[in-house]
Amino acid sequence: MICWAVLGGFVLDAIFGDPAWLPHPVVLMGKAITALEKRLRTQFPQTPQGELCGGAVLAAILPVGTFLITALVCRLAAALHPLVGLAVQMFWCAQALAARGLVQESCNVYKELQKQDLPAARKAVARIVGRDTQNLTAEGVTKAAVETVAENASDGVIAPLLYMLLGGAPLALTYKAINTMDSMLGYKNQKYLYFGRAAARLDDAANYLPSRLAGLLWVAAAALTGSSARGAWKIWRRDRRNHASPNSAQTESACAGALGVQLAGPAYYFGEYYDKPTIGDALRPVEPKDILRADRMMYAESLLALVLGIALRLLVLAM
């Protein structure tokens, strides 16, 4: 049943994405994180050790709670009827994936750049990046969009696919809970340096294997979509560690090499300057069409991951 749920979820995401009117589990996770953080900060001392402990408790409660609740719902739905159970898993698998939403948001950036409306392009890219965007040039907006497509191909598509193939929708949503915690708490600033450390470390561990698989699949996707597989392989091997996170540069480096452009580099976050290393070689300037090229490679590697993952699961089950 898991194979059908994953396949159906992939198709649903590709067709519908995440409609704004539909409640999303990540929104509920975000509310739970906010409530737990507020409660735990009052229960533990406001010291580095106290914040580490409080953050670790949150990092344990949310993933475990997510898995138990979603597994129970799936089990109850399957008890009503196998098709009901399949429908629930399929629906949640679709919500765990972000391929269509990523393409929609990045294409919105591309459209504004094509209209040469830089303020609108900055607003569009601000919806999908964490950096400050108000002073970005057109090239900076383009780079930010391409980087986001590449990075989120890993934690928005490949990682959820891997976990749902292993454990269905419950495990995929558990991964999303871990990823959401990191996006909300995993900052190295005064507020979250200690409290968010457990969430950040857990996210690093959860993404370690998926990010590397995503980087390799991106090399294959480059070959399938007319970009440079040789460049993707070269820059992935050279620059995949050019990031503070052990995982974030895996797909960014393959994407930069496939396109023959330079990504990453210094950026501002919440008004603070971060001197980040660059990724890739500037064989040519970044251009808006690189957003569309990155989208194509992201979809190609997603399809590769889907086909290979289902085939491998069926092979294991047949043994």
Side-chain angles (χ1 to χ4, degrees):
M1 185 177 79
I2 284 180
C3 287
W4 286 111
V6 173
L7 181 59
F10 188 93
V11 172
L12 285 175
D13 174 68
I15 295 173
F16 300 108
D18 291 315
W21 55 267
L22 195 63
H24 200 284
V26 169
V27 176
L28 297 176
M29 292 170 189
K31 291 180 178 179
I33 291 167
T34 300
L36 283 168
E37 178 186 356
K38 184 177 180 181
R39 181 65 180 272
L40 289 167
R41 282 189 183 274
T42 65
Q43 300 298 312
F44 288 87
Q46 298 301 304
T47 63
Q49 190 62 38
E51 290 188 4
L52 282 171
C53 290
V57 170
L58 195 158
I61 289 176
L62 190 74
V64 172
T66 298
F67 182 80
L68 292 176
I69 292 170
T70 53
L72 177 62
V73 172
C74 288
R75 184 176 290 272
L76 291 174
L80 289 174
H81 194 282
L83 290 179
V84 176
L86 176 60
V88 170
Q89 289 242 24
M90 196 178 290
F91 175 69
W92 273 344
C93 283
Q95 290 194 308
L97 297 170
R100 176 63 185 273
L102 190 57
V103 168
Q104 288 175 328
E105 294 290 348
S106 60
C107 283
N108 288 339
V109 179
Y110 171 76
K111 290 173 185 176
E112 300 301 342
L113 287 169
Q114 286 295 98
K115 292 189 291 185
Q116 298 185 343
D117 189 342
L118 184 55
R122 288 168 175 164
K123 288 181 180 178
V125 82
R127 291 171 53 88
I128 54 175
V129 301
R131 73 193 65 183
D132 298 344
T133 62
Q134 63 269 23
N135 296 318
L136 289 179
T137 62
E139 182 182 11
V141 169
T142 305
K143 285 175 61 176
V146 172
E147 290 167 23
T148 297
V149 171
E151 184 176 349
N152 283 279
S154 176
D155 58 19
V157 185
I158 303 303
L161 267 176
L162 175 63
Y163 285 109
M164 68 180 67
L165 283 163
L166 291 173
L171 195 58
L173 290 178
T174 300
Y175 166 77
K176 296 299 289 185
I178 293 170
N179 195 237
T180 304
M181 283 194 305
D182 180 62
S183 67
M184 293 180 66
L185 309 176
Y187 295 100
K188 293 182 179 179
N189 55 25
Q190 185 176 356
K191 184 176 181 180
Y192 291 115
L193 180 61
Y194 298 106
F195 192 87
R197 186 170 299 177
R201 296 281 173 82
L202 185 58
D203 184 74
D204 286 346
N207 279 297
Y208 188 85
L209 179 59
S211 66
R212 282 149 183 80
L213 290 174
L216 290 171
L217 286 169
W218 197 287
V219 175
L224 293 174
T225 57
S227 293
S228 174
R230 178 178 293 182
W233 174 251
K234 173 188 173 183
I235 301 302
W236 176 76
R237 292 185 64 197
R238 192 190 75 188
D239 291 351
R240 66 184 186 273
R241 298 183 182 90
N242 284 10
H243 201 283
S245 163
N247 305 318
S248 294
Q250 298 290 329
T251 43
E252 280 189 50
S253 57
C255 180
L259 295 174
V261 301
Q262 189 173 81
L263 300 176
Y268 284 87
Y269 293 83
F270 305 107
E272 187 173 347
Y273 178 81
Y274 287 81
D275 189 18
K276 299 164 61 177
T278 58
I279 294 172
D281 295 326
L283 303 181
R284 62 173 180 82
V286 176
E287 61 183 18
K289 284 188 177 180
D290 287 325
I291 298 173
L292 304 184
R293 296 181 183 113
D295 285 339
R296 284 197 293 271
M297 286 188 281
M298 184 274 295
Y299 257 136
E301 81 155 0
S302 302
L303 284 168
L304 277 173
L306 177 71
V307 172
L308 292 174
I310 289 179
L312 183 58
R313 182 178 175 86
L314 292 174
L315 180 63
V316 171
L317 290 174
M319 292 173 65

